[in-house]
Amino acid sequence: MDVFQRFENIVAEAVAALAADGTVPPEATNAAIVLEPPRDPSHGDLATNAAMALARAARMNPRELATRLAMMLARHPDVETAEVAGPGFINLKLARTVWEDEIRAIVAAGADYGRGDPAHEALPVNIEYVSANPTGPMHMGHCRGAVVGDALASLLAFAGHDVVREYYVNDAGGQVDVLARSVHLRYREALGEAVGDIPEGLYPGDYLKPVGAALAAEYADRFAKAPESDWLALFRTRAVAAMMDMIRDDLALLGIRHDIFSSEAAIQAAGAPAAAEAELRARDLVYDGTLPPPKGEIQEDWEPVELPLFRSTAYGDDLDRPIRKSDGSWTYFGADMAYHAEKARRSSALVDIWGADHAGTVKRITAAVEALTQGKVRLDVKLVQMVRLFRNGEPVKMSKRAGNFVTLADVVREVGRDVVRFMMLTKRPEAPLDFDFAHVVEQSRENPVFYVHYAHARISSVLRKGQMLSLPAVAPLERLDAEELALARLAAQWPRVVRQAAGAREPHRIAFYLADLAGAFHTLWNRGNDDPACRLLREDDAELTAARLALAGSVAQVIRTALGVMGVEAAEELR
């Protein structure tokens, strides 16, 4: 149990005591009580809104109630002071032994410090991410969602959840027929036919040449002049399989592997959309009706068509949504609804990582999941903005259809997996992210990747030097001064960061936290540059050196663990 959990319990015990003596009603103990570090460290180590949360139910002035709570909390041996502030906040200053003990706890737990208890999750959390159309290699437009999804999966697993990583293969749409036709052109080319310029509407990339060559080697000219109906299904299957092999290889360069690959075509062939429709019709959530004309459509040019519609307006959407087209085939939403129903049957919660261009479909799919699961399964959709690439100050354009896009593999090979993964998490995913090839590898404070790696490398170096010294077996942590304990307090926030980031489904919070922790360490290091007495290694004081190295080691452990959750390897030294 970390510091925050322990003091949350201490505050809860004080509130329970107030309920026991009748000061507050028993139901008030369910109030939303928050315990967090104050924004201004001079106010103390922890702050709680307990009195303000309880005041209305207790029919008491918040400051009066805060005074009573503060008096109770001040009696705890680990609380040095408990002061009332503002409208009724309580600021707690903890005994320094609390932070000394937490340094020891970090060292003792190692990589498990901050790890959640898996016992609280009975069913898995399903995270679907990437799910790029299987029409070519991964490009940087896919990269950010891939990293955000994978880091979130690792975060939730570290927080104690049973996580399933899933990729939805969109192999049933018109784009895979276009892919098959593009491969057929390359197949004919491999047989020696001069195909000329790639026709408009087909995929022109050279990455399809090996697929065409493999089919030519296997089938010779059997399908060269054959009608499309003879080869389309075969070429589609083989092309999708080849593209998925390429995608898996590209993702592996980022250290990303999925547990499940679900086929859209297989889900439709199994009758899942029809089953979902039947279930919703039985509950009057699907009906046959017509949609209003599209906005801007000239009325006389529009003819209403009766379609099966899902009552998404019952769940806050602005329109009911068609699940089939006029020809009877499934709309993308109809197929996607069935896919989510299938995922929900094997998961306690769902998370989808989508590109920001899918924002318009979020409300309808969350409505469908709520309807199909009767509110029992939570779906979170995280939208990820595109990455803008820059080289020499100029934007790098990407176009898969033009065949001149920048592949994910090219970028990883140029700057390294760790740099790519870290940079994708340096901003909230809904904000645009600029990726400058020069900036991400420069060794400066402005580069967050370097700044965090540099902190770990500095600590690793000083710890290696410390191993050559004769130091006490037990570090006397009471020798640490106030600034050093402030660094320990920041390192001790790691378990709380894990819980909050996992609950909010926001892995970028780890990168933000690491920037703060690395910055605090560098500040402490620079203090030693200004004053030799403040250096971590003091050859004239073995006890103080041992204490400072224990602190540094705990900080390095937290950095290493947090980077691991992000899928980034901690640097032992910088080249």
Side-chain angles (χ1 to χ4, degrees), residues 405-484:
F405 57 92
V406 178
T407 69
L408 181 153
D410 289 339
V411 176
V412 172
R413 292 187 180 109
E414 179 171 343
V415 303
R417 183 188 79 177
D418 290 342
V419 169
V420 173
R421 288 192 66 118
F422 197 109
M423 287 302 302
M424 294 301 108
L425 297 169
T426 53
K427 284 191 175 181
R428 300 180 64 88
E430 60 269 25
L433 187 147
D434 292 344
F435 188 98
D436 189 297
F437 283 91
H439 173 66
V440 300
V441 295
E442 69 182 12
Q443 296 192 354
S444 74
R445 180 173 181 171
E446 285 66 41
N447 179 1
V449 188
F450 167 78
Y451 203 54
V452 173
H453 275 316
Y454 192 27
H456 190 271
R458 273 179 158 175
I459 297 174
S460 298
S461 175
V462 78
L463 291 177
R464 287 193 295 270
K465 293 176 181 177
Q467 291 175 351
M468 303 173 65
L469 303 177
S470 178
L471 302 176
V474 178
L477 298 179
E478 65 275 8
R479 294 288 307 278
L480 297 176
D481 63 26
E483 292 184 57
E484 289 159 344

Side-chain angles (χ1 to χ4, degrees), residues 272-555:
E277 178 185 4
E279 179 182 342
L280 293 174
R281 277 189 184 276
R283 292 163 47 207
D284 194 33
L285 291 173
V286 165
Y287 66 98
D288 294 322
T290 60
L291 293 172
K295 293 180 180 179
E297 190 85 9
I298 299 175
Q299 190 71 28
E300 54 267 24
D301 290 345
W302 176 79
E303 294 183 7
V305 177
E306 188 174 78
L307 299 169
L309 303 177
F310 167 60
R311 294 188 190 276
S312 53
T313 52
Y315 298 89
D317 201 358
D318 55 346
L319 287 174
D320 291 338
R321 303 294 176 173
I323 60 174
R324 288 182 187 265
K325 302 175 185 177
S326 57
D327 63 2
S329 63
W330 298 103
T331 63
Y332 186 85
F333 169 65
D336 207 30
M337 178 179 70
Y339 168 56
H340 281 78
E342 192 276 329
K343 286 196 294 183
R345 281 191 288 273
R346 48 187 167 85
S347 305
S348 60
L350 307 178
V351 182
D352 288 353
I353 309 296
W354 291 355
D357 56 330
H358 289 81
T361 63
V362 172
K363 189 169 287 186
R364 71 191 69 168
I365 198 65
T366 53
V369 171
E370 184 176 352
L372 286 162
T373 68
Q374 299 184 55
K376 295 177 182 177
V377 175
R378 168 186 172 186
L379 168 65
D380 286 314
V381 179
K382 295 296 182 182
L383 298 176
V384 180
Q385 285 284 355
M386 294 284 284
V387 178
R388 298 178 297 202
L389 292 179
F390 290 85
R391 188 185 294 279
N392 298 324
E394 296 295 326
V396 180
K397 296 181 180 179
M398 297 183 293
S399 171
K400 183 183 286 190
R401 286 195 176 274
N404 61 354
F405 57 92
V406 178
T407 69
L408 181 153
D410 289 339
V411 176
V412 172
R413 292 187 180 109
E414 179 171 343
V415 303
R417 183 188 79 177
D418 290 342
V419 169
V420 173
R421 288 192 66 118
F422 197 109
M423 287 302 302
M424 294 301 108
L425 297 169
T426 53
K427 284 191 175 181
R428 300 180 64 88
E430 60 269 25
L433 187 147
D434 292 344
F435 188 98
D436 189 297
F437 283 91
H439 173 66
V440 300
V441 295
E442 69 182 12
Q443 296 192 354
S444 74
R445 180 173 181 171
E446 285 66 41
N447 179 1
V449 188
F450 167 78
Y451 203 54
V452 173
H453 275 316
Y454 192 27
H456 190 271
R458 273 179 158 175
I459 297 174
S460 298
S461 175
V462 78
L463 291 177
R464 287 193 295 270
K465 293 176 181 177
Q467 291 175 351
M468 303 173 65
L469 303 177
S470 178
L471 302 176
V474 178
L477 298 179
E478 65 275 8
R479 294 288 307 278
L480 297 176
D481 63 26
E483 292 184 57
E484 289 159 344
L485 285 179
L487 180 60
R489 286 197 296 272
L490 188 53
Q493 287 190 33
W494 168 239
R496 178 174 176 271
V497 170
V498 170
R499 287 193 296 275
Q500 292 192 328
R505 312 301 201 230
E506 293 183 342
H508 62 271
R509 293 192 186 196
I510 300 175
F512 293 179
Y513 167 73
L514 279 173
D516 290 341
L517 185 59
F521 173 77
H522 287 305
T523 297
L524 200 66
W525 179 279
N526 293 335
R527 188 180 68 154
N529 290 337
D530 297 332
D531 181 359
C534 296
R535 290 176 181 170
L536 299 184
L537 293 180
R538 286 281 303 276
E539 294 184 6
D540 61 334
D541 195 331
E543 289 188 347
L544 184 56
T545 296
R548 288 175 174 171
L549 291 185
L551 169 63
S554 68
V555 172

